[in-house]
Amino acid sequence: MTHSAAAPSPSNKAARQTAVPGKNQTDPPGQRAVDGAANPYPGLAAFKPEAHHLFFGRDEDSERVVARLAETRLISVIGRSGTGKSSLVAAGVVPRFAERLGQLSYLRCEPQGSPFHQLADVLGRELPGKDSAIGHQAVDSVQRALTEASDSRQSEERLAVASLALLRQRKHPLLLLLDQFEELFTLTPVACALRFRQLFGALLDIDDLYLALTLRSEFTVRLMEWLGEDLFRASLVALEPVSGEAQLQAIVTGPAQACGVPVQAELVSTLLSAARASKGALPLIALTLERMFEERDARQGLTLAAYERMGGLASIVDTAAAGIERLIDSEPQLELACARLFAELATVIDEVPTRRTVEIAALRADRQISRLVDALRSQGFLSDPDDQHVEFAHETLLTHWPRLRQWCARYRDSLSLRRQAKMAAREWWQLVAQEAGSPPAGRHGSHPQLWSWERQKPVLLALLDLSHRAAPADADFCDPGIAAWRTLAAHLDKTLHRFLRPEPLRLLDELASDETQHHRREEIGLRLNQMGDPRRGVGLTAEGLPDIVWIDIAAGEVQLEGKASEVFVVEPLRISRYPITWQQYGAFLAADDGYRDRRWWRKLVQRKQPGETRWGFQNHPAINIAWSDAVAFCRWLSERLALTGPELIRLPTEWEWQWVAQGGPMQRKYPWGSDWNPARANSHESGTGRTMAVGMYPLGAPEGETVADLAGNVWEWCLNEYEHPGNTQIGGDISRTLRGGSWLDFPGDLRAAKREEFSPDDRDGDIGFRVVLAAPLE
């Protein structure tokens, strides 16, 4: 993202001009090519100051910019992509301005995302070597600010102060190029960009500091708003595409002839015609000339025949990419690596593909991506802004390389979502840090600027799409967004990790504390329901059947309390984590072969209508369920799941239920322990006055188990009779057993051993059920 050089003086101007047709030529026509001559054409990369003697065709533009810079100390060079803005400043303006001033240092910086950090970085690394007047203390201050840098506003202020102090110690004039300045508006959070304007104003007040901005013309209005109209107009230098024949001819022939390599007149004529017929052709011409120079004829130099063999201007990118395409085709694993590399190097801004600058070290960590980096660099498709970063050599590749163009079109929406999320994450974290005085270490689940799950989920899916990683099946959640999160979490930067941590997970974390109030638990359940509760065991499978999470229960024995003080053996079984929810019971009611099918009601009373759907949120327990309704549901689900034995779905017996609720051999009074804890169940004491979503009291589960809601919320039907618990046969109107207590009951009714009874054909607003997978007992 940075480049620096001591600005060279164009002292060899006379020799430079001899290579331009129409000027004083000292070399005879048809001079042989110099063997081993370095390629004078940079291809898609921008010219640098040290190559000024090879930069042709822009003399008038260069002089115009130098004159404006001398007047204002600020220039804004604005033009379409491919007009050569960066090359003009570096190879045209810098050497001329250095000649005018007598001495000039030059630094280049791209304000990608973190302009305070990027400016301080280039100043701290490059400026001390160019100006002996800069002391160690100022350099150390910059380095310390960089080491301690974060996304906070305080960090930006420290970087700004250190950068200004370093610049004020200079002895010699400095031209600072802020290249691709549109990145300040596309990759930097709005608040950060506005604060950078304050630093920019301070830069303008420093003596002998000259500032040059280059900007794509699509962002002209944004720059005017950012700078202010007066300063914008005073600095504006509009750069039009090269179209004049003399300019184009100089660009085509000058560098080669400066090396003693001739350029065939027929080739010049053909290239000029192609350039006039195509907008933004300059980068394609530069790439064509770079490749032609490598394949030049020893006597004739650059020839029309060689140009035609390459397929002409329209095919030059395809020709240049041919070797890379063959490499990828020969090794299929490189296709995946290529997609991942593109995801790092490209983005989409306002539906326009745009290149990104990334750290080379991160790319080198993957061996296949590292190989592609080397291959792309060897073809001139990648350039190095400095020794730590890499980027596509020119945005032309994004539209003219078919593989990259198609990839950008395929992932356009995902790239756009990623950019939006990164900017929003930085703005959020800066605000959090500002409010706290420093970046806090705690949770920020309730911060108003955190995105909701409806906004987080598409971003996570987009990031997974770009990563080309497979999300494994999740035992706890059925939502693909959470699966994406769990796949990506280890690969996200800190700020994005904090910002995109799924809202459902943040909400569920709140439940794991007795400090969370009952009304907040109710709110969490309703919010989970609103977003589509992602927990397994709460909703439906992809086939539309109840998604039951089964918990394995070991064998044991239970003695019932009261008159029925028999001892019952519990065989190994599996029990549902949650009571059956309205969404799950609703599948039974809605199915053509469900509630109204007489097959499920053998020896049972079937009412014409199901019970009232009260508090019918999909993740709340189904209530107004008669014992007969619950048995019919179990029969239906066993049939739909093709369970023919030795196990089927049925209601638990009360001894099975109690064995789970008391923690097995621990024989606890309540599922969580021996003492009543009002924070661990939805009871009368909670004050909610109704059911809430299942699983809102995870600390109320038996230790070592994940079976939820065994105390409170709803009474649960058991299979056996109340007076004769050993009788589990279907039929009759004798009361059946209820267990667990409900939202309207007091602590005594929520004991693990508490027995209650109810008519099997009656319904009530605090009665539901859960199921087991076990041997049949009918």
Side-chain angles (χ1 to χ4, degrees):
M1 294 188 293
T2 58
H3 171 72
S4 65
S9 173
S11 57
N12 195 25
K13 202 169 188 178
R16 178 176 180 270
Q17 289 183 350
T18 61
V20 183
K23 298 187 180 179
N24 296 325
Q25 294 192 9
T26 57
D27 298 318
Q31 177 181 338
R32 291 178 61 85
V34 179
D35 291 340
N39 198 323
Y41 297 99
L44 294 174
F47 278 93
K48 296 180 180 179
E50 54 267 27
H52 72 277
H53 62 289
L54 301 172
F55 185 65
F56 288 84
R58 308 304 290 265
D59 291 350
E60 183 178 336
D61 288 326
S62 298
E63 293 293 350
R64 179 164 58 99
V65 175
V66 166
R68 179 66 63 85
L69 186 60
E71 293 175 2
T72 67
R73 291 200 299 113
L74 168 66
I75 54 170
S76 302
V77 183
I78 298 178
R80 293 205 309 257
S81 178
T83 54
K85 301 180 291 295
S86 302
S87 293
L88 177 72
V89 174
V93 174
V94 169
R96 283 177 169 80
F97 202 49
E99 188 176 56
R100 176 178 292 209
L101 296 179
Q103 186 172 4
L104 179 70
S105 297
Y106 165 74
L107 295 175
R108 175 185 177 273
C109 175
E110 293 179 28
Q112 281 202 355
S114 302
F116 291 91
H117 188 283
Q118 283 137 7
L119 177 60
D121 179 60
V122 65
L123 292 176
R125 284 192 296 110
E126 304 292 346
L127 191 55
K130 299 178 180 303
D131 204 310
S132 58
I134 296 175
H136 293 296
Q137 185 175 357
V139 176
D140 291 344
S141 178
V142 170
Q143 296 300 333
R144 186 165 54 254
L146 286 167
T147 301
E148 299 171 355
S150 66
D151 288 329
S152 70
R153 184 169 181 174
Q154 291 79 4
S155 176
E156 291 176 352
E157 292 172 352
R158 287 192 294 270
L159 290 168
V161 169
S163 297
L164 291 170
L166 194 67
L167 285 167
R168 289 181 179 124
Q169 289 192 10
R170 287 176 307 103
K171 182 179 180 181
H172 305 299
L174 169 67
L175 173 60
L176 175 62
L177 170 61
L178 297 173
D179 206 7
Q180 300 182 44
F181 202 69
E182 62 271 7
E183 292 164 353
L184 186 74
F185 310 120
T186 60
L187 299 177
T188 304
V190 174
C192 179
L194 291 175
R195 291 192 292 273
F196 190 68
R197 177 63 181 87
Q198 298 174 3
L199 173 59
F200 191 82
L203 296 177
L204 291 172
D205 292 334
I206 299 178
D207 293 336
D208 288 333
L209 176 60
Y210 299 87
L211 301 173
L213 313 180
T214 61
L215 185 93
R216 281 166 47 188
S217 54
E218 302 97 297
F219 299 92
T220 301
V221 173
R222 295 199 199 183
L223 179 62
M224 182 173 67
E225 294 172 346
W226 189 81
L227 278 178
E229 185 172 354
D230 291 344
L231 187 58
F232 168 78
R233 294 192 182 282
S235 69
L236 175 62
V237 178
L239 189 63
E240 298 296 330
V242 174
S243 57
E245 186 167 321
Q247 283 182 294
L248 287 168
Q249 187 169 348
I251 289 170
V252 171
T253 62
Q257 292 185 352
C259 298
V261 176
V263 181
Q264 205 172 67
E266 295 85 351
L267 171 63
V268 175
S269 177
T270 300
L271 278 174
L272 294 186
S273 297
R276 285 192 294 269
S278 175
K279 290 183 179 181
L282 196 58
L284 299 179
I285 292 175
L287 179 61
T288 301
L289 292 169
E290 179 194 39
R291 296 189 65 80
M292 290 186 67
F293 191 88
E294 293 296 327
E295 301 180 20
R296 65 190 180 276
D297 183 87
R299 292 191 59 83
Q300 295 180 293
L302 310 188
T303 66
L304 178 61
Y307 173 77
E308 291 175 341
R309 284 196 301 272
M310 289 181 181
L313 206 63
S315 302
I316 187 59
V317 175
D318 283 355
T319 302
I324 299 168
E325 296 292 350
R326 285 194 297 271
L327 176 63
I328 294 173
D329 290 342
S330 67
E331 299 186 43
Q333 69 270 24
L334 288 179
E335 186 167 3
L336 176 59
C338 189
R340 288 180 173 171
L341 178 60
F342 286 172
E344 296 300 319
L345 293 172
T347 188
V348 169
I349 300 172
D350 297 337
E351 299 190 356
V352 177
T354 305
R355 57 182 172 162
R356 298 173 73 222
T357 302
V358 296
E359 291 186 0
I360 188 66
L363 301 180
R364 291 295 189 195
D366 184 299
R367 188 177 70 85
Q368 299 299 347
I369 291 178
S370 183
R371 290 179 60 202
L372 278 174
V373 167
D374 291 336
L376 289 168
R377 182 184 277 128
S378 70
Q379 293 300 316
F381 280 18
L382 293 184
S383 62
D384 306 295
D386 56 44
D387 57 1
Q388 298 180 23
H389 298 85
V390 67
E391 64 187 5
F392 280 125
H394 200 278
E395 288 172 351
T396 293
L397 289 171
L398 298 165
T399 53
H400 285 81
W401 183 10
R403 178 184 290 272
L404 181 54
R405 182 181 67 245
Q406 292 163 11
W407 183 89
C408 286
R410 159 71 176 80
Y411 293 101
R412 179 189 61 192
D413 293 341
S414 293
L415 291 167
S416 181
L417 283 170
R418 178 182 68 179
R419 186 179 71 87
Q420 293 172 27
K422 285 192 169 186
M423 292 181 66
R426 287 196 58 214
E427 287 183 339
W428 164 77
W429 189 244
Q430 286 180 344
L431 183 59
V432 168
Q434 179 182 346
E435 292 172 350
S438 61
R443 295 177 303 177
H444 309 288
S446 59
H447 195 279
Q449 281 199 349
L450 273 175
W451 278 2
S452 67
W453 182 233
E454 287 81 359
R455 295 194 70 183
Q456 289 177 321
K457 182 175 177 178
V459 173
L460 289 169
L461 294 176
L463 293 177
L464 184 68
D465 195 27
L466 291 170
S467 76
H468 293 273
R469 292 182 172 90
D474 195 312
D476 299 314
F477 298 95
C478 54
D479 193 297
I482 293 180
W485 160 260
R486 291 192 163 182
T487 304
L488 297 168
H491 307 282
L492 299 176
D493 65 67
K494 283 185 187 177
T495 302
L496 202 59
H497 186 280
R498 297 182 186 108
F499 187 69
L500 290 179
R501 186 166 192 276
E503 182 189 3
L505 299 186
R506 299 199 310 263
L507 294 175
L508 292 171
D509 272 356
E510 288 189 51
L511 301 176
S513 169
D514 286 339
E515 300 300 316
T516 303
Q517 300 298 309
H518 297 287
H519 70 85
R520 177 57 180 160
R521 295 178 188 274
E522 184 177 28
E523 289 175 355
I524 290 172
L526 292 171
R527 176 63 185 129
L528 290 171
N529 180 74
Q530 183 183 41
M531 67 179 70
D533 199 316
R535 295 173 294 165
R536 291 197 182 278
V538 174
L540 304 176
T541 66
E543 293 74 28
L545 295 176
D547 174 28
I548 310 294
V549 171
W550 299 110
I551 307 300
D552 290 320
I553 303 299
E557 62 178 29
V558 169
Q559 181 174 0
L560 303 183
E561 71 175 11
K563 294 180 180 179
S565 57
E566 300 176 56
V567 175
F568 290 87
V569 174
V570 177
E571 301 293 342
L573 58 89
R574 308 176 81 188
I575 191 167
S576 61
R577 174 174 291 174
Y578 306 112
I580 297 300
T581 64
W582 272 123
Q583 185 175 16
Q584 294 170 334
Y585 191 67
F588 172 58
L589 300 180
D592 292 338
D593 65 345
Y595 183 85
R596 289 172 175 79
D597 193 317
R598 281 296 306 164
R599 286 180 294 168
W600 321 128
W601 300 91
R602 178 174 50 86
K603 296 184 178 180
L604 297 173
V605 173
Q606 181 186 19
R607 297 189 186 181
K608 290 184 179 181
Q609 297 297 328
E612 176 191 0
T613 306
R614 191 178 184 192
W615 307 317
F617 303 104
Q618 291 190 329
N619 62 356
H620 281 221
I623 55 174
N624 287 317
I625 307 295
W627 182 85
S628 300
D629 300 334
V631 171
F633 173 92
C634 293
R635 289 172 171 176
W636 166 77
L637 188 54
S638 292
E639 178 74 15
R640 291 296 299 269
L641 295 178
L643 299 177
T644 58
E647 297 178 323
L648 50 71
I649 294 172
R650 59 171 172 81
L651 293 176
T653 63
E654 65 172 312
W655 53 91
E656 291 170 337
W657 191 99
Q658 182 176 326
W659 177 250
V660 178
Q662 70 183 26
M666 301 300 293
Q667 297 187 17
R668 294 191 179 93
K669 184 176 182 180
Y670 299 100
W672 56 83
S674 299
D675 298 322
W676 168 248
N677 187 336
R680 296 192 175 183
N682 181 23
S683 67
H684 183 275
E685 293 186 11
S686 71
T688 60
R690 65 175 185 176
T691 62
M692 64 173 67
V694 299
M696 293 297 99
Y697 295 87
L699 296 182
E703 184 179 353
E705 299 288 354
T706 55
V707 186
D709 298 349
L710 291 165
N713 217 16
V714 292
W715 286 100
E716 299 179 15
W717 284 117
C718 292
L719 184 63
N720 56 282
E721 293 181 357
Y722 179 78
E723 291 292 346
H724 306 286
N727 186 8
T728 58
Q729 298 302 302
I730 305 301
D733 57 0
I734 299 175
S735 294
R736 300 284 170 158
T737 303
L738 293 170
R739 286 301 192 105
S742 75
W743 56 269
L744 55 72
D745 292 301
F746 291 92
D749 288 329
L750 274 64
R751 294 181 298 109
K754 171 63 177 177
R755 305 180 69 232
E756 190 55 83
E757 62 177 314
F758 207 68
S759 170
D761 300 321
D762 287 343
R763 297 163 173 160
D764 207 346
D766 65 342
I767 298 178
F769 70 107
R770 78 173 70 225
V771 295
V772 297
L773 183 63
L777 296 177
E778 293 184 33

